[in-house]
Amino acid sequence: MTSRIRVRTAVLAALVVAGVSGCADTGDDAGAPGSVAGEGPARPGAGGDELVVDALPLEAPVIIDAVPEGLLLTGLSYRPPEDDLWFNDAAGDYLPARATLYGDPALADTLDGPVVLVGTSTGSATIAGPGYEAPGEEVDLGSDLPGRVVPDSDRTWVVLEGNDYTEFVVGRGIDDDELVAAARGADFASATTALAADAVPAGLEPLIAGSAQDRPGSGAGVHMFLRGDGTQVTVNAVRADPRLAALWGFWLEDASGTTVRGNPGSAGDLQGANVGDPDARGRVWAEDGLVISVVVTMGADRDRAGDREQVLDQVVEALRVGTWEEFEALDGEIQSRPPTAVESPCPSDSGYTSGVEGNSRWVFQLAPNPYSSWGEWSTCSFDLTSGGGNGGSVLPPPLGELAVSGFGSGIVGGVAPPGTTRVTVTAVDGSTRDAVLAADGPRPGERVWGTYLPVFPPPGGTAPFTVTAYDAAGAVLATSG
């Protein structure tokens, strides 16, 4: 098995480990800033003969035996290392984007001591590092982009900020002046970001360079996503030298180390990682040739800190190495199931429909827009397989008539009048399909409907489709198109 299963976008967001049981030991002193060398379990050091440590092709996938109660397996994929290429170098070659970790080469556990990470982050919704609004001292880094020094929990960032892009040098246990000097000598123009030799803080050396450069996991390897009410768990696993766990573990606030599944690892809050939740918590460890991360985000549920630990422990314990046949069976279950509201990027408090059409797992949702001065209804459609979606608005028709909204993605929907028990959609090729009906609609008795038309948009000058609503006796209530 190499590249026959590609990454499927699951809104978006992995998976992991070999067959040893156990949970993370998160004692009161785990993750305490200011720890010294020798405290906690001895995690794999970052130093070695080779600076670059990249992921290797997986010989067997990781799967989950039992999904914890309250969660749903919503995404599973494998990205081979040769697909993890996005940095275009001067020669025109695409290479993995790597961060470089600097530390004290004398320490057996690199993360016990002072460390500096130099890397980059890209994204539109979230980026690694402190947000643009975070207070910090502006400094001159010899660049056209503004630089800021921003303390954040147990570490300090020096960031160069531009439009939708951040380059950073971040350190723990390093003097601010040394960090600024390091940032002035940082090279962000190559796939492997690095510091100039004369810019490295005293006592540190480059120990490892690898991916991911702005969070634990991501990039190549197995990915699994589990979702629940306000909760998402992301699991990533790669086959790699255990040293990579030091680079991934830097993103967790755990200066001493924590035992995970009987292995020395890191556990704690994520600091500045590109996961979209400032209260995210995770585990990182190496086991049986794999480097693994498990991260839980709780969205707006900031008061559920205890739930994070329980969910993490349950997922970590349920993971194991499986077969590609088991992997494909799990993936097949996901792809053949209509998306639930919990995994949809559309608002799902009302008017929600979904289904499966070929390779497309689609959703359509319609609800009143409380902010519209015209009384419009807001619509949202999304294809979870391709990652494409649209939003729009519809003016409510007179009660008893159909509302119809169609998008270039092939997902169409609307509102059927009171008394509707069936809605059919006839495409330009003459094929007719039954739409999915929601239990509710924007006005009493109405019902939202949605479906997917494989041939869309229609040939020019042809009506796109005809929609018909029927009552329980089969009588036509309304038609449109």
Side-chain angles (χ1 to χ4, degrees), residues 8-12 72-76 225 227 330-346 352-364 381-389 409 411 451-452:
R8 289 188 175 94
T9 302
V11 182
L12 41 127
L72 178 69
L73 180 61
T74 62
L76 179 62
F225 300 91
R227 289 195 177 190
L330 281 175
D331 181 64
E333 291 176 10
I334 298 170
Q335 301 310 316
S336 62
R337 169 178 54 75
T340 63
V342 73
E343 59 191 299
S344 168
C346 297
Y352 178 82
T353 65
S354 68
V356 177
E357 179 69 37
N359 293 326
S360 295
R361 301 178 68 225
W362 61 267
V363 301
F364 176 84
S381 66
F382 206 88
D383 185 334
L384 271 68
T385 304
S386 68
S409 63
I411 304 169
T451 191
Y452 185 96

Side-chain angles (χ1 to χ4, degrees), residues 117-121 127-152 155-162 165-171 176 179-180 182-184 186 188 251 271-272:
L117 184 74
V118 55
T120 60
S121 180
I127 55 175
Y132 294 129
E133 73 287 351
E137 178 186 357
E138 190 166 320
V139 292
D140 180 10
L141 300 178
S143 167
D144 293 335
L145 298 176
R148 285 190 301 131
V149 178
V150 184
D152 182 25
R155 61 203 62 199
T156 300
W157 296 77
V158 181
V159 292
L160 284 78
E161 295 179 346
Y165 194 93
T166 293
E167 301 167 336
F168 57 81
V169 172
V170 55
D176 287 3
L179 276 178
V180 172
R184 289 193 180 113
F188 300 107
W251 292 99
Q271 296 299 331

Side-chain angles (χ1 to χ4, degrees), residues 364 366 374-379 392-397 403-405 407 413-415:
F364 176 84
L366 182 148
W374 298 93
E376 294 171 313
W377 296 336
S378 294
T379 63
S393 60
V394 177
L395 282 171
V404 178
S405 177
F407 296 106
V415 174

Side-chain angles (χ1 to χ4, degrees), residues 143-417:
S143 167
D144 293 335
L145 298 176
R148 285 190 301 131
V149 178
V150 184
D152 182 25
S153 187
D154 69 339
R155 61 203 62 199
T156 300
W157 296 77
V158 181
V159 292
L160 284 78
E161 295 179 346
N163 180 25
D164 199 24
Y165 194 93
T166 293
E167 301 167 336
F168 57 81
V169 172
V170 55
R172 186 178 65 205
I174 303 295
D175 180 79
D176 287 3
D177 290 339
E178 288 186 295
L179 276 178
V180 172
R184 289 193 180 113
D187 172 21
F188 300 107
S190 59
T192 301
T193 55
L195 303 177
D198 59 357
V200 178
L204 304 189
E205 293 181 7
L207 300 179
I208 185 173
S211 300
Q213 73 276 19
D214 58 2
R215 65 185 126 166
S218 79
V222 168
H223 302 255
M224 179 181 283
F225 300 91
L226 303 104
R227 289 195 177 190
D229 183 16
T231 302
Q232 175 168 303
V233 181
T234 304
V235 190
N236 301 77
V238 298
R239 186 165 72 93
D241 190 306
R243 298 165 51 205
L244 188 62
L247 188 147
W248 286 15
F250 170 82
W251 292 99
L252 302 182
E253 189 178 338
D254 187 352
S256 300
T258 301
T259 299
V260 184
R261 288 175 61 105
N263 300 277
S266 300
D269 293 333
L270 270 71
Q271 296 299 331
N274 180 11
V275 296
D277 184 353
D279 295 325
R281 194 164 175 86
R283 312 267 197 265
V284 168
W285 74 104
E287 179 176 343
D288 287 356
L290 300 174
V291 176
I292 303 140
S293 70
V294 181
V295 173
V296 61
T297 56
M298 304 296 287
D301 298 320
R302 306 296 189 210
D303 58 343
R304 295 171 58 187
D307 291 351
R308 295 184 306 175
E309 297 304 316
Q310 182 180 14
V311 168
L312 278 170
D313 288 342
Q314 289 173 337
V315 172
V316 166
E317 186 175 2
L319 298 166
R320 69 171 173 87
V321 169
T323 66
W324 289 114
E325 288 74 19
E326 290 175 307
F327 185 88
E328 291 181 334
L330 281 175
D331 181 64
E333 291 176 10
I334 298 170
Q335 301 310 316
S336 62
R337 169 178 54 75
T340 63
V342 73
E343 59 191 299
S344 168
C346 297
S348 56
D349 55 342
S350 63
Y352 178 82
T353 65
S354 68
V356 177
E357 179 69 37
N359 293 326
S360 295
R361 301 178 68 225
W362 61 267
V363 301
F364 176 84
Q365 190 260 347
L366 182 148
N369 181 356
Y371 305 104
S372 171
S373 58
W374 298 93
E376 294 171 313
W377 296 336
S378 294
T379 63
C380 174
S381 66
F382 206 88
D383 185 334
L384 271 68
T385 304
S386 68
N390 287 285
S393 60
V394 177
L395 282 171
L399 190 65
E401 295 185 10
L402 279 161
V404 178
S405 177
F407 296 106
S409 63
I411 304 169
V412 298
V415 174

